[in-house]
Amino acid sequence: MHIAQRMQRLGTETAFLVLAKAKALEAQGKHVVHLEIGEPDFDTPVNIKTAAKKALDDGFTHYGPAPGLPDFRTAIARHMNERLGVSYSPNQVVVTPGGKPIMFFTILACVDEGDEVIYPNPGFPIYESVINFLGGKAVPLPLREDRQFRFDIEELKRLITPRTRMLIINSPQNPTGGILTRDDLKQIAGLAVEHDLIVLSDEIYSRIVYDGFTHVSIATMPGMAERTVVLDGFSKTYAMTGWRLGFGLMPEELARLVAQLQINSNSCTASFTQMAGLEALVGPQDEVTRMDAEFKRRRDVIVEGLNSIPGFRCHKPLGAFYVFPNITATGKSSKFLADYLLDEAGVACLSGTAFGAFGEGYLRFSYANSVENILIALDRVKKAVAML
Ligand code: PLP
């Protein structure tokens, strides 16, 4: 079969490949602790599941409007306005099956061939994949461990050229757990306005933050709402990865085009899933608070444990549920060590290079797993590293 040339430019998300390999090992009888995939191990809160069941019984089983059900778009706009201090109208909300399509659709709608897109590296691999796939020029912006994995604004300035169309930011960040401060965002916003850049702000982890950190959206900065796409969703906050429910906030004109892209691909997001999402937003939020408190407990356990392993140095992140320890002192490459830990120790994690070239020298562990399992994994990693 002939395969189109462009497929050679499409990347992937290694987490799914490592998960498949880990599952294959489990099928052979090997015990594996899963710290590779970025999904909460908690069950979706009961009130959300009940709302979905009711929605099925109430007939929310048909096609709905491409940008989302009107009541749901209204609820999202209200929720985000209250939480972020922005002022979006329901017409600026597009609901998608997961937050991921917002990346794809935004880049598809805004980036011409040859346009440059600056993106965080190490960063969520789909940014680079989609930019390359669509013929843009992917320009990596290195994140620096010595800056708690924030990037250097001076470095960003140097990367901006007359061809720069878009800047992608992600805070709290996958894979490092790093966050951007209000001051960082102010400076980024200044550059975006000065150079007329579109900003894709991936805020999917904005409610998983620790130690009193308050998330700020770049969309609140002067001149930014009209050039920002905020990506958010339900996968992480409400433990709803398998439901496939996310959304974007964007200027109305772009929302119409993104909805048109949706008509050309998914048609719409499942109607009963949207009704579950509505309940997630308007119902009690105690489960979110409980899950966040548990993530924090796990973060403290894994950071302390990794720092006790010779050759590992682990920064304590302020958000998301990932740690990104520096492993250069082990003398091994990231890929070698990630493979070795899965094969020899039964601990599934990801090589830092799964998140781009600047991830060399690091591993990514997701701590969306129980403290009990994290402790087992830490013990295994420690023993396996000692045997290197
Ligand atoms: N953005 C980031 C940074 C992520 O880590 C993920 C998932 O891992 C997503 C977006 C997409 O999540 P979903 O499509 O499940 O909403």
Side-chain angles (χ1 to χ4, degrees):
M1 186 194 291
H2 171 78
I3 301 296
Q5 281 290 325
R6 72 175 77 85
M7 289 306 290
Q8 291 176 11
R9 301 197 302 268
L10 189 66
T12 191
E13 196 180 340
T14 310
F16 286 101
L17 307 182
V18 176
L19 178 66
K21 184 178 167 192
K23 293 261 180 219
L25 288 172
E26 282 175 320
Q28 292 164 22
K30 193 173 169 82
H31 182 267
V32 177
V33 182
H34 291 274
L35 301 182
E36 76 280 44
I37 192 96
E39 75 168 337
D41 58 324
F42 306 114
D43 200 4
T44 304
V46 172
N47 62 312
I48 299 174
K49 291 198 286 187
T50 305
K53 290 174 199 166
K54 179 168 184 310
L56 285 171
D57 289 340
D58 289 348
F60 284 90
T61 51
H62 299 276
Y63 290 132
L69 296 172
D71 286 355
F72 189 38
R73 294 172 82 196
T74 301
I76 291 172
R78 187 175 302 142
H79 169 88
M80 296 298 276
N81 291 346
E82 277 169 17
R83 189 159 71 78
L84 300 179
V86 284
S87 55
Y88 284 100
S89 74
N91 290 342
Q92 295 180 279
V93 177
V94 182
V95 178
T96 43
K100 243 182 196 173
I102 293 294
M103 280 169 214
F104 201 87
F105 292 160
T106 302
I107 299 170
L108 196 51
C110 299
V111 175
D112 278 316
E113 279 190 29
D115 280 353
E116 295 174 11
V117 181
I118 301 175
Y119 69 101
N121 190 319
F124 192 55
I126 301 307
Y127 309 140
E128 187 180 318
S129 167
V130 175
I131 299 163
N132 287 332
F133 185 61
L134 299 175
K137 182 171 173 217
V139 180
L141 175 58
L143 302 187
R144 303 288 179 195
E145 184 186 356
D146 58 3
R147 298 176 54 85
Q148 296 79 43
F149 294 110
R150 290 152 51 229
F151 50 82
D152 180 348
I153 299 288
E154 293 307 315
E155 206 158 357
L156 170 59
K157 278 185 196 163
R158 286 196 294 275
L159 293 176
I160 298 173
T161 76
R163 287 306 306 261
T164 309
R165 173 77 60 204
M166 181 183 286
L167 167 66
I168 302 177
I169 57 174
N170 173 212
S171 176
Q173 212 243 356
N174 179 6
T176 65
I179 47 91
L180 293 169
T181 64
R182 185 185 288 270
D183 194 50
D184 291 334
L185 294 171
K186 227 189 247 173
Q187 295 193 59
I188 297 165
L191 289 173
V193 171
E194 182 187 340
H195 297 279
D196 194 20
L197 308 181
I198 298 162
V199 173
L200 171 58
S201 181
D202 185 340
E203 303 182 18
I204 200 137
Y205 297 102
S206 60
R207 289 180 76 185
I208 306 175
V209 292
Y210 314 111
D211 303 343
F213 175 75
T214 306
H215 173 78
V216 178
S217 175
I218 197 164
T220 59
M221 306 274 161
M224 288 308 294
E226 56 265 42
R227 60 179 66 254
T228 303
V229 174
V230 176
L231 179 159
D232 205 336
F234 294 75
S235 289
K236 319 289 176 175
T237 307
Y238 296 99
M240 291 177 71
T241 47
W243 295 68
R244 310 312 302 132
L245 189 61
F247 60 89
L249 305 175
M250 61 199 83
E252 200 171 326
E253 182 192 357
L254 181 60
R256 272 196 295 276
L257 296 173
V258 168
Q260 197 177 340
L261 285 168
Q262 181 128 275
I263 292 174
N264 277 270
S265 49
N266 311 305
S267 294
C268 61
T269 305
S271 301
F272 59 92
T273 305
Q274 294 185 61
M275 294 308 285
L278 182 58
E279 168 61 22
L281 291 183
V282 304
Q285 302 294 304
D286 349 350
E287 283 295 294
V288 176
T289 312
R290 193 185 63 77
M291 290 190 276
D292 286 359
E294 181 57 22
F295 282 137
K296 178 184 179 308
R297 197 166 81 89
R298 296 168 178 187
R299 177 202 63 168
D300 293 345
V301 169
I302 199 165
V303 169
E304 192 188 328
L306 288 172
N307 276 323
S308 77
I309 298 172
F312 280 53
R313 179 178 73 222
C314 187
H315 147 85
K316 192 184 254 192
L318 284 183
F321 38 65
Y322 308 108
V323 280
F324 205 60
N326 183 317
I327 50 87
T328 45
T330 62
K332 301 294 177 193
S333 77
S334 302
K335 175 83 171 70
F336 170 88
L337 202 54
D339 288 343
Y340 171 76
L341 291 178
L342 178 55
D343 295 334
E344 301 302 322
V347 176
C349 66
L350 300 182
S351 163
T353 50
F355 301 91
F358 291 95
E360 182 55 63
Y362 299 89
L363 293 179
R364 191 200 76 169
F365 293 89
S366 159
Y367 51 89
N369 204 330
S370 66
V371 166
E372 191 188 3
N373 284 334
I374 289 170
L375 289 171
I376 294 171
L378 286 167
D379 186 53
R380 289 184 183 180
V381 173
K382 194 173 213 163
K383 287 183 179 141
V385 169
M387 279 167 34
L388 277 173

